[in-house]
Amino acid sequence: MARRKDQAARREHLIAATLTIIATHGLGGVTMKNIADEAGISPRLVAYYYPDLESLVEAAHQAATERYYWSRQRVVEDDLPPVDKLARLMHSGLPRGEDLLLSQVLDEISVNASRSPMHATLMTLLFDREVSLYTSVLEAGRAVGVFTLTDPADLVARNFVALEDALGLHLLAHNSSLTLERAEQQLASYAFATTGIRVAPTAPVAASSKE
């Protein structure tokens, strides 16, 4: 059992190193040597756990999608009004803070999706799960009479996620015409146009500040 835990921890360490390399150097910078250097181990040991580089990149992509999705899921777990949940979702959908590295990784890998069925499947799964988060919040808000949706909830939800992805792409590319504040304004504008409520992206309150 201890050996299995050690192996799992080593694989997790290698995935973390791979995520850092992808975020800082792009997919072109992903080599066994670079990953080994980042992880502080030998390239041979990397190859022991992941015999080919693509399998390690795929594992890193899967980890990134899981972590990114669950970070978004957590912001709407509290018992809050739909407006507050929507504000939290909008805040979590733009690259920032602790999720910046994951956003960079997902942005880098997305260009490879068209050439890899596995990457395309993970991109699709993440998109659908993010849409489901928005759909549930929008439907809950409509059910209690808070949101007056201009379109079906799932359509509005898909547009939210697509808009986040587009804005995130420009932010990560350091487009000088788009700041994080402007991106938030665009999301807020779309929220008002489709729900009838003015919603500004809002970060969850840290647990320590609630006490």
Side-chain angles (χ1 to χ4, degrees):
M1 180 64 70
R3 181 173 175 78
R4 289 183 180 179
K5 288 183 178 179
D6 290 343
Q7 290 181 342
R10 180 55 58 85
R11 288 179 184 277
E12 179 66 23
H13 184 56
L14 290 174
I15 287 174
T18 304
L19 292 175
T20 298
I21 293 296
I22 294 174
T24 55
H25 302 291
L27 281 174
V30 179
T31 65
M32 287 292 194
K33 183 180 185 307
N34 285 348
I35 293 171
D37 289 345
E38 179 67 28
I41 61 176
S42 71
R44 288 186 178 181
L45 193 52
V46 176
Y48 172 79
Y49 288 98
Y50 293 97
D52 61 276
L53 194 59
E54 181 58 27
S55 65
L56 180 49
V57 172
E58 289 180 354
H61 187 186
Q62 184 167 7
T65 57
E66 285 294 315
R67 294 174 191 178
Y68 186 75
Y69 167 74
W70 286 109
S71 72
R72 304 202 70 184
Q73 168 69 38
R74 284 193 294 271
V75 305
V76 294
E77 286 178 347
D78 294 340
D79 185 15
L80 296 170
V83 172
D84 292 340
K85 288 190 175 184
L86 180 57
R88 287 186 173 193
L89 268 183
M90 291 161 57
H91 182 274
S92 70
L94 297 174
R96 70 174 92 222
E98 295 180 357
D99 290 330
L100 180 58
L101 182 142
L102 295 180
S103 296
Q104 291 170 322
V105 169
L106 293 172
D107 181 60
E108 285 288 338
I109 293 180
S110 66
V111 300
N112 192 52
S114 63
R115 298 188 294 274
S116 166
M118 190 274 182
H119 289 309
T121 297
L122 287 173
M123 292 290 294
T124 302
L125 177 62
L126 178 60
F127 181 84
D128 289 345
R129 293 169 84 183
E130 289 180 285
V131 168
S132 71
L133 291 177
Y134 268 108
T135 300
S136 63
V137 170
L138 292 168
E139 288 180 339
R142 180 176 57 187
V144 297
V146 175
F147 297 149
T148 303
L149 301 182
T150 57
D151 287 300
D154 67 315
L155 176 56
V156 177
R158 290 198 301 273
N159 285 337
F160 260 117
V161 177
L163 180 56
E164 289 174 348
D165 288 346
L167 293 171
L169 174 64
H170 286 284
L171 289 171
L172 292 171
H174 301 293
N175 180 341
S176 60
S177 293
L178 185 68
T179 64
L180 183 58
E181 182 180 3
R182 287 180 175 178
E184 290 179 336
Q185 291 171 349
Q186 287 179 243
L187 277 178
S189 175
Y190 180 69
F192 178 64
T194 54
T195 68
I197 296 293
R198 295 196 180 277
V199 183
T202 304
V205 177
S208 58
S209 65
K210 292 180 180 179
E211 298 176 356

